[in-house]
């Protein structure tokens, strides 16, 4: 059986791992950290804990449970998912590539949009969230990557493979990468029907044909764009009752899908996604 790679080790991801690994799947859970739950405090509305439970304790207990059953845990930042000849390749910021026959996206609902004036106005008209998807359309033009971490460095490398004039814009942040960058803070974007200029907080302006947003880590929204997953109007990944997306072999669970953002719902989602991904792997 091919490997199942699960993105995220919150309740949805770990629940999926528990059901899939008990069914015989080779499971690897990839996560940079514990996500939103790892930043919470006392959980008082989850079944079975009369006095509540510390959020970090709940996360660690679930992770240990999955590992005890045989799931592998990889602490790494996912920066992309690509189609492969026999499934998918999950790429991490530290340069690793994981082959997968099926993937479950359970990495929360983050969408890192910096507070820059007019940025949403130019989405699809110069502003992109996916270098793999849109770099082709900016060949021979001038583009920038907004971000300061490993995800931004990965998007920069993708763009440089196709475009000569690429600038890393860290928006006032100190970058983690070594290549040259522009550290001016961005105030707003300007243009008519499409992006034309970046206006910096010091009053200076610079022409750009395109900007690729890569702030923080790649969340469910960014990864869905790279793969071509259908999303809802609220930027959630669209799934059916089996938690299957529009791409065979890709499932989604938890806060990255529509519905109430609660642990109980995430655990249920993970159970469905894990069992359905297991069925998929067994039939392919």
């Amino acid at each position: 059986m091919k490997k199942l790679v699960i993105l995220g080790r919150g309740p949805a991801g770990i629940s999926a791992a528990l059901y899939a690994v008990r069914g015989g799947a080779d499971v690897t859970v990839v996560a940079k950290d514990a996500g939103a739950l790892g930043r919470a405090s006392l959980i008082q509305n989850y079944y079975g804990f009369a006095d509540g439970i510390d959020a970090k304790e709940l996360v660690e207990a679930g992770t240990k449970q999955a590992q005890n059953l045989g799931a592998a845990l990889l602490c790494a930042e996912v920066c992309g998912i690509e189609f492969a000849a026999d499934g998918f390749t999950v790429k991490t910021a530290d340069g690793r590539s994981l082959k997968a026959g099926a993937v479950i996206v359970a990495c929360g609902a983050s969408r890192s949009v910096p507070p820059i004036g007019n940025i949403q106005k130019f989405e699809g008209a110069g502003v992109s969230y996916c270098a793999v998807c849109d770099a082709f359309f900016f060949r021979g033009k001038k583009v920038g990557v907004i971000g300061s971490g490993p995800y931004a460095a990965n998007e920069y490398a993708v763009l440089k493979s196709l475009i000569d004039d690429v600038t890393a814009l860290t928006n006032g942040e100190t970058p983690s990468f070594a290549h040259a960058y522009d550290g001016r803070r961005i105030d707003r974007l300007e243009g008519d029907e499409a992006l034309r200029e970046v206006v910096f907080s010091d009053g200076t302006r610079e022409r750009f044909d395109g900007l690729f947003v890569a702030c923080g880590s790649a969340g469910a929204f960014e990864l869905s764009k790279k793969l071509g997953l259908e999303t809802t109007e609220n930027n959630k990944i669209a799934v059916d009752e089996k938690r299957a997306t529009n791409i065979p072999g890709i499932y989604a669970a938890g806060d990255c899908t529509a519905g109430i953002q609660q642990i109980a719902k995430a655990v249920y989602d993970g159970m469905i996604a894990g069992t359905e991904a297991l069925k998929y792997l067994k039939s392919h």
Side-chain angles (χ1 to χ4, degrees), residues 98-122:
L98 306 177
K99 299 298 183 183
V103 175
I104 297 176
V105 180
C107 51
S110 64
R111 182 186 183 189
S112 300
V113 181
I116 294 172
N118 295 329
I119 191 167
Q120 293 180 320
K121 172 183 176 181
F122 293 111

Side-chain angles (χ1 to χ4, degrees), residues 160-223:
K160 284 295 288 183
S161 67
L162 288 173
I163 304 169
D164 292 329
D165 195 348
V166 183
T167 302
L169 301 170
T170 65
N171 197 24
E173 301 290 333
T174 300
S176 63
F177 44 77
H179 59 71
Y181 67 94
D182 186 331
R184 288 177 291 175
R185 190 170 294 279
I186 302 171
D187 179 68
R188 65 187 185 277
L189 310 182
E190 291 188 354
D192 37 43
E193 294 182 356
L195 172 68
R196 290 291 177 265
E197 285 187 318
V198 171
V199 182
F200 296 93
S201 297
D202 61 6
T204 56
R205 298 168 174 264
E206 192 167 342
R207 181 188 64 80
F208 280 92
D209 299 300
L211 289 178
F212 290 79
V213 181
C215 300
S217 303
F221 174 81
E222 291 83 4
L223 294 173

